[in-house]
């Protein structure tokens, strides 16, 4: 099997973020998005193709988990957790996820991926 | 292969519930709202209840009480709740074999997290049962030179880390058994039963993002630690804990342990940062706040603060948007302050004003900031109403007051 290309890794990253945003539970959603971003960033300088493939395989498995779990957590209706709208102004951290959020991964982060 | 495909079909059927399609989740902390009480995906009646308006549940900051399931844990458990339902002790067919294989895999995952051998892990219904098994061992083997030391690894009220390795060394040199209740510590700080010379250890599933109703006890084999079974029956779990092992639950516990091992460093770094943030922001805006517990040997995810001149219960009720707990047992029938706080020498009045903040894997910076903001706001408000605070502001030393008897 050919080693994963830069484009494939980017696709995987985008797909994972896209699927993660569908978690209806605030805590799961924010965790998934944050963890994926931090994990890809942490491993951006990995050069060894075997190690890269291992990481990619793990990411694919995690993508499968996200795909299976998202509909489960939104299929069960419950009161949402969160803050009263009037009492909380959207802080800088929240602004990232307004609108379409991270559909396009930041070119600055991806520019560092060196495969 | 067929089984897995069937499970996938079943899972899809379960989740494809008719009913109002949820709106796309809004961003940040302004969440969309569920308009029904919690219900299963199978609709009882499909008429949508009229919405009064958005109803939100509080933020969750009480991870010492219990933790949500990690999605990876639920994913591991589901097959065993749907199609792979065999009894792991059935020896004669594939249902039993696959269930047993899952159970043994989970046992290996738990053992690997604490540096143990899988044969030293016995599954139980939780840390409480494990503690009882460990203590019963003492009663069963009481001799002049036998005793047991039992210590919590990380305290659940103030987050203090006990010097386990030192205690282990002392116990081992005096030939005394060493048990630790590691419910709050497993998967959060590195533990090795051999390095720390631990003989018995209690593990709880629902404190580490696993399911409720399951735990484990680690029982050292070399040198052998003998325990007496609490419940007798069919001799499962090497005769130390009879009863069918609940495969879905132990698979969940195993998965939780494996995830914890992978995520320990990342979680610890993040939780430490959030913990610093919470403490610093509260302390720089409010005077007379005391953190309970030794700051040097402290697990960052459990923060116990006492706010002087404010009653703990009233602060908890004021912070109704945040799920918190007080360190004391005020919520129980007795109004006694926490025995832990009393033991560390906290003044009575400070012990009554303690609040425990729990930061976990899923806690966000926004949740911490919101909690801090509300906490500051309500402490200030409650202090304004407090005659004690007024007296302190006027320079009166409260300890010098002679309260008249009625």
């Amino acid at each position: 099997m050919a080693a994963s290309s830069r484009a494939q890794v980017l696709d995987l990253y985008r797909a994972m973020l896209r699927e993660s945003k569908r978690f209806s539970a605030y805590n799961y959603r924010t965790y998934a998005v944050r963890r994926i971003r931090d994990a890809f960033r942490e491993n951006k300088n990995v050069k060894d193709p075997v190690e890269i493939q291992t990481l990619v395989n793990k990411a694919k498995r995690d993508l499968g988990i996200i795909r299976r779990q998202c509909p489960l957590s939104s299929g069960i209706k419950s009161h949402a957790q969160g803050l009263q709208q009037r009492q909380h102004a959207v802080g800088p951290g929240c602004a990232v996820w307004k609108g379409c959020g991270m559909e396009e991964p930041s070119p600055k982060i991806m520019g560092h991926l060196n495969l | 292969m067929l089984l897995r495909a069937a499970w996938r079909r079943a899972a899809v059927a379960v989740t494809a519930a008719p009913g109002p399609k949820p709106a796309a989740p809004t961003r940040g902390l302004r969440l969309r709202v569920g308009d029904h009480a919690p219900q299963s995906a199978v609709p009882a009646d499909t008429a949508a209840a009229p919405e009064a308006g958005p109803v939100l549940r509080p933020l969750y900051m009480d991870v010492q009480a219990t933790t949500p399931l990690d999605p990876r844990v639920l994913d591991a458990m589901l097959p065993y709740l749907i199609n792979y339902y065999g009894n792991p002790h059935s020896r004669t067919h594939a249902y039993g074999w696959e269930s047993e294989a899952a159970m043994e895999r989970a046992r290996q995952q738990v053992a690997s997290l604490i540096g143990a051998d899988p044969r030293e892990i016995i599954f139980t219904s939780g840390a409480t049962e494990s503690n009882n098994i460990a203590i019963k061992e003492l009663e069963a083997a009481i001799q002049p030179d036998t005793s047991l030391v039992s210590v919590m690894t990380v305290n659940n009220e103030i987050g203090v880390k006990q010097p386990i390795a030192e205690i282990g060394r002392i116990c081992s040199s005096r030939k005394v058994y060493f048990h630790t209740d590691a419910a709050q510590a497993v998967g959060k700080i590195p533990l090795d039963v051999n390095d720390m010379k631990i003989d018995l250890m209690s593990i709880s599933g629902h404190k580490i993002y696993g399911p409720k109703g399951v735990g484990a006890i680690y029982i050292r084999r070399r040198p052998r630690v003998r325990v007496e079974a609490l419940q007798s029956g069919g001799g499962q779990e090497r005769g130390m804990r009879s009863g069918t092992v609940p495969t879905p639950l132990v698979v969940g516990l195993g998965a939780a342990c494996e995830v914890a091992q992978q995520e320990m460093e990342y979680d610890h770094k993040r939780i430490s940062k959030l913990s610093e943030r919470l403490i610093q922001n509260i302390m720089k805006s409010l005077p007379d706040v005391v953190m309970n517990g030794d700051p040097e040997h402290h697990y960052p995810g459990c923060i116990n603060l006492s706010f002087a001149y404010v009653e703990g219960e009233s602060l908890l009720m004021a912070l109704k948007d945040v799920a918190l707990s007080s360190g004391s047992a005020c919520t129980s029938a007795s109004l006694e302050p926490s025995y832990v706080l009393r033991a560390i020498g906290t003044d009575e009045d400070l012990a009554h004003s303690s609040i425990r903040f729990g930061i976990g894997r899923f806690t966000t910076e926004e949740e911490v900031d919101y909690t801090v903001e509300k906490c500051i706001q309500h402490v200030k408000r409650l202090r304004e109403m407090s005659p004690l605070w007024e007296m302190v502001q006027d320079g009166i030393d409260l300890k010098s007051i002679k309260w008249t008897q009625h």
Side-chain angles (χ1 to χ4, degrees), chain B residues 330-359:
Chain B
C330 277
T331 45
S332 75
S334 131
L335 288 172
E336 291 276 310
S338 138
Y339 72 97
V340 175
L341 293 180
R342 254 190 308 167
I344 62 173
T346 309
D347 276 338
E348 283 280 315
D349 52 349
L350 276 185
H352 274 289
S353 15
S354 67
I355 303 281
R356 177 185 69 189
F357 300 88
I359 297 177

Side-chain angles (χ1 to χ4, degrees), chain B residues 65-138:
Chain B
T66 191
T67 53
L69 271 186
D70 191 298
R72 291 165 282 200
V73 167
L74 180 58
D75 194 71
M77 290 170 70
L78 277 175
Y80 301 94
L81 289 164
I82 301 177
N83 280 324
Y84 293 63
Y85 49 78
N87 183 321
H89 312 294
S90 298
R91 298 213 155 284
T92 57
H93 49 69
Y95 289 92
W97 304 329
E98 73 206 358
S99 193
E100 185 190 18
M103 175 177 78
E104 293 309 322
R105 202 163 40 238
R107 205 186 296 277
Q108 173 62 60
Q109 287 165 326
V110 176
S112 146
L113 181 59
I114 59 172
D117 184 283
R119 290 168 295 180
E120 296 171 311
I121 302 290
I122 305 292
F123 289 117
T124 62
S125 66
T128 302
E129 186 186 339
S130 302
N131 287 340
N132 276 277
I133 293 175
I135 304 296
K136 192 128 191 288
E137 188 280 334
L138 169 66

Side-chain angles (χ1 to χ4, degrees), chain A residues 45-65:
Chain A
N45 290 322
V46 172
K47 298 271 195 284
D48 173 28
V50 172
E51 202 185 330
I52 290 171
Q53 197 53 48
T54 312
L55 290 167
V56 165
N57 290 341
K58 178 162 193 315
K60 284 185 175 152
R61 276 198 305 273
D62 287 341
L63 177 57
I65 292 175

Side-chain angles (χ1 to χ4, degrees), chain A residues 28 35 38 68 80-81 97, chain B residues 27 31 69 75 263 266:
Chain A
Y28 288 164
R35 190 70 188 93
D38 287 346
R68 283 192 294 274
Q81 243 170 304
W97 310 122
Chain B
R27 303 304 157 198
L31 295 178
L69 271 186
D75 194 71
E263 301 289 344
Y266 177 85

Side-chain angles (χ1 to χ4, degrees), chain B residues 231-246:
Chain B
Q231 58 189 55
S232 51
Q236 288 86 358
E237 294 295 277
R238 302 171 188 280
M240 298 206 232
R241 200 271 181 183
S242 294
T244 304
V245 171

Side-chain angles (χ1 to χ4, degrees), chain B residues 57 64 86 94 118 158 160 168 184 199 201 234 257 266 278 284 298 335 345:
Chain B
R57 288 166 69 222
Q64 278 71 37
I158 56 180
V160 160
Q184 299 284 352
D199 296 311
M201 182 195 279
C257 288
Y266 177 85
L278 187 146
K284 77 171 187 238
H298 182 253
L335 288 172

